[in-house]
Amino acid sequence: DWSSDVCSSDLPLLAERYGTGEVPQRLPVYVGGGFYGGDDPAHAGLQDELRRYRDAGYRRMKIKAGGLPLHDDLRRIEAALRVVGRGENLALDLSCAFAGDAATAFAAAVAPLDLWWIEEPCGPLDFETYRQLSMAYPGLVAGGENLFSREEVLNFLRYGPRPERTVLQPDPPLCYGIDEYARIV
């Protein structure tokens, strides 16, 4: 159970074409937001946004990170945690902010927070950084949103982060459409 449970109107079509035809009545979801904006050292705007999500029924949320100096990002993440409660309720989308040792350093700094996952810490084809980071970071590492084909995803899983601690996130519009998305899944 991730968060609010919803059922999308697109599910019957996808289930009929690519699955068993059975549609679950409820699916776990989370909300993504928490974009950078303005000079708000107390992060009141971020906290207000997350409270609105919480009030709408979401328990798990994802915010942007990796775009500020580390000490500022940590203050921002801690402000978010004051709203969402435990680290397992918060994921960070790093939007490919780092390469090499910088990704591992960021992951080491947030490791004590026991976050749900850190997402896209580096470029999508930087398999070596993904691999190194997932060897050092104890939590989940998410990626795959910017991979286009099944072959890229297979290489990501072969050479990138540890598969048992990977959250794979293919994006249907980016991966050559729904047919390629179905091949990936």
Side-chain angles (χ1 to χ4, degrees), residues 64-165:
K64 294 292 183 177
L68 296 173
L70 181 58
H71 67 280
D72 292 332
D73 246 345
L74 287 173
R75 288 181 49 221
R76 188 171 185 277
I77 294 164
E78 288 164 358
L81 286 170
R82 286 193 290 277
V83 176
V84 302
R86 302 182 312 251
E88 68 185 30
N89 292 331
L90 184 66
L92 302 180
D93 186 345
L94 303 178
S95 298
C96 308
F98 302 108
D101 293 339
T104 305
F106 183 91
V110 300
L113 302 175
D114 294 322
L115 299 169
W116 189 18
W117 71 59
I118 57 174
E119 179 178 326
E120 293 195 314
C122 57
L125 299 178
D126 187 353
F127 301 145
E128 181 60 18
T129 295
Y130 266 109
R131 188 189 67 73
Q132 288 178 359
L133 185 139
S134 73
M135 297 302 284
Y137 182 68
L140 295 172
V141 178
E145 178 180 359
N146 292 300
L147 299 176
F148 302 118
S149 69
R150 179 177 178 269
E151 288 74 20
E152 286 179 323
V153 170
L154 288 174
N155 283 332
F156 178 76
L157 294 173
R158 282 183 190 125
Y159 306 114
R162 295 171 56 177
E164 71 275 10
R165 289 203 333 251

Side-chain angles (χ1 to χ4, degrees), residues 46-54 61 63 80 83-84:
L46 172 66
Q47 288 181 318
D48 288 344
E49 176 185 356
L50 298 180
R51 279 188 202 96
R52 285 191 304 275
Y53 296 148
R54 185 187 62 204
M61 302 171 203
I63 66 169
V83 176
V84 302

Side-chain angles (χ1 to χ4, degrees), residues 1-82:
D1 177 26
W2 290 1
S3 179
S4 299
D5 290 326
V6 299
C7 188
S8 169
S9 61
D10 295 334
L11 288 174
L13 172 66
L14 296 175
E16 288 170 15
R17 183 160 181 191
Y18 295 101
T20 63
E22 296 178 29
V23 179
Q25 294 304 305
R26 295 174 126 359
L27 292 172
V29 298
Y30 68 92
V31 64
F35 292 89
Y36 290 105
D39 184 18
D40 181 8
H43 306 292
L46 172 66
Q47 288 181 318
D48 288 344
E49 176 185 356
L50 298 180
R51 279 188 202 96
R52 285 191 304 275
Y53 296 148
R54 185 187 62 204
D55 294 346
Y58 292 97
R59 256 188 335 114
R60 291 202 166 172
M61 302 171 203
K62 180 174 75 173
I63 66 169
K64 294 292 183 177
L68 296 173
L70 181 58
H71 67 280
D72 292 332
D73 246 345
L74 287 173
R75 288 181 49 221
R76 188 171 185 277
I77 294 164
E78 288 164 358
L81 286 170
R82 286 193 290 277

